[in-house]
């Protein structure tokens, strides 16, 4: 089910949110997200001007993202705009002797920890930029980050939006201590601040 904080007017998800989700899924799948390019429109199933592809070079498409075409929505009896992502796992480069190698999946032995943050950000800031900054705050601990709510309205300054981000931390050798979790949270807030975001309290 969708998550949301309803202190104000909820904003609809858009192509930028879909792009952020696509990048998060590709990163979790071992793709070299720092080397990807956003190119072109995704195809006939997508809304014109509101979609794109993430590519490794000009020909290798790893994901499509954006808003679905109105005809697709009608065919499935869907009401309202729908943001979607399609990831092509087979296109992610396999392991090779040098350069990028997709790591083999090993199920984690310890339970992941989830933490939510609500940031006040300039309205012009793309949510995917915030997500990438947050995820990069502690690459050893944070395995994923995603936006689960965006809204404006009561309690939000003009020219700004409230963006709720969930991060997932995966312990390896032992569970996180309270001090370690606080240290990660401090890094997340500091990384977001570099994007012009401040923690809502």
């Amino acid at each position: 089910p969708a998550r949301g904080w309803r202190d104000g007017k909820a904003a609809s998800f858009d192509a930028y949110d879909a792009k952020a989700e696509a990048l998060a899924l590709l990163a979790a799948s071992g793709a070299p997200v720092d080397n990807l390019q956003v190119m072109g429109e995704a195809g006939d199933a997508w809304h014109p001007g509101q979609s794109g592809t993430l590519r490794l070079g000009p020909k290798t498409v790893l994901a499509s993202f954006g808003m679905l075409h109105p005809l697709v929505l009608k065919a499935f009896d869907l009401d309202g705009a729908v943001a979607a992502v399609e990831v092509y796992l087979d296109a992610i480069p396999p392991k090779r002797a040098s350069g990028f190698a997709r790591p083999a999946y090993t199920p984690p032995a310890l339970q992941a920890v989830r933490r939510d943050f609500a940031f006040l950000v300039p309205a012009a800031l793309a949510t995917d930029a915030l997500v990438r900054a947050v995820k990069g705050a502690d690459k050893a601990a944070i395995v994923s980050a995603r936006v689960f709510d965006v809204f404006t309205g009561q309690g939000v300054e003009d020219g700004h939006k409230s963006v709720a981000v969930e991060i997932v931390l995966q312990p390896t050798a032992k569970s996180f201590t309270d001090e370690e979790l606080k240290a990660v949270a401090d890094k997340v807030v500091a990384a977001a601040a570099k994007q012009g975001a401040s923690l809502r309290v």
Side-chain angles (χ1 to χ4, degrees):
R3 299 181 60 193
W5 293 350
R6 297 297 178 232
D7 294 337
K9 180 181 178 182
S12 300
F13 285 98
D14 57 21
Y16 292 104
D17 298 307
K19 177 186 173 185
E21 290 294 332
L23 286 168
L25 289 170
L26 287 171
S29 302
V33 292
D34 291 337
N35 298 329
L36 298 184
Q37 298 174 306
V38 179
M39 298 180 65
E41 295 194 3
D44 294 340
W46 306 85
H47 197 297
Q50 298 184 39
S51 69
T53 58
L54 291 168
R55 304 189 183 208
L56 189 61
K59 296 183 179 180
T60 305
V61 181
L62 300 191
S64 299
F65 66 89
M67 309 304 294
L68 292 180
H69 195 284
L71 292 178
V72 174
L73 301 181
K74 183 177 180 180
F76 288 93
D77 293 325
L78 298 174
D79 294 327
V82 174
V85 171
E86 186 173 9
V87 176
Y88 311 110
L89 295 176
D90 290 343
I92 297 175
K95 184 176 181 180
R96 56 191 184 190
S98 61
F100 168 72
R102 179 171 53 189
Y105 176 73
T106 302
L110 299 172
Q111 184 173 359
V113 178
R114 299 176 185 272
R115 288 292 185 269
D116 295 341
F117 297 83
F119 294 107
L120 184 67
V121 306
L125 178 67
T127 55
D128 63 320
L130 178 62
V131 167
R132 294 184 72 174
V134 166
K135 188 175 185 298
D138 190 329
K139 295 182 179 179
I142 301 173
V143 295
S144 69
R146 71 181 186 93
V147 171
F148 67 85
D149 198 26
V150 180
F151 69 85
T152 58
Q154 184 178 1
V156 179
E157 298 177 14
D158 290 341
H160 290 73
K161 57 187 175 183
S162 178
V163 180
V165 179
E166 177 192 68
I167 66 170
V168 179
L169 302 96
Q170 180 59 60
T172 52
K174 62 182 182 65
S175 298
F176 292 113
T177 65
D178 290 342
E179 291 76 13
E180 289 170 336
L181 291 174
K182 183 180 184 304
V184 172
D186 290 343
K187 292 178 183 178
V188 167
V189 173
K194 293 181 180 179
Q195 300 295 319
S198 59
L199 187 67
R200 295 193 71 199
V201 294

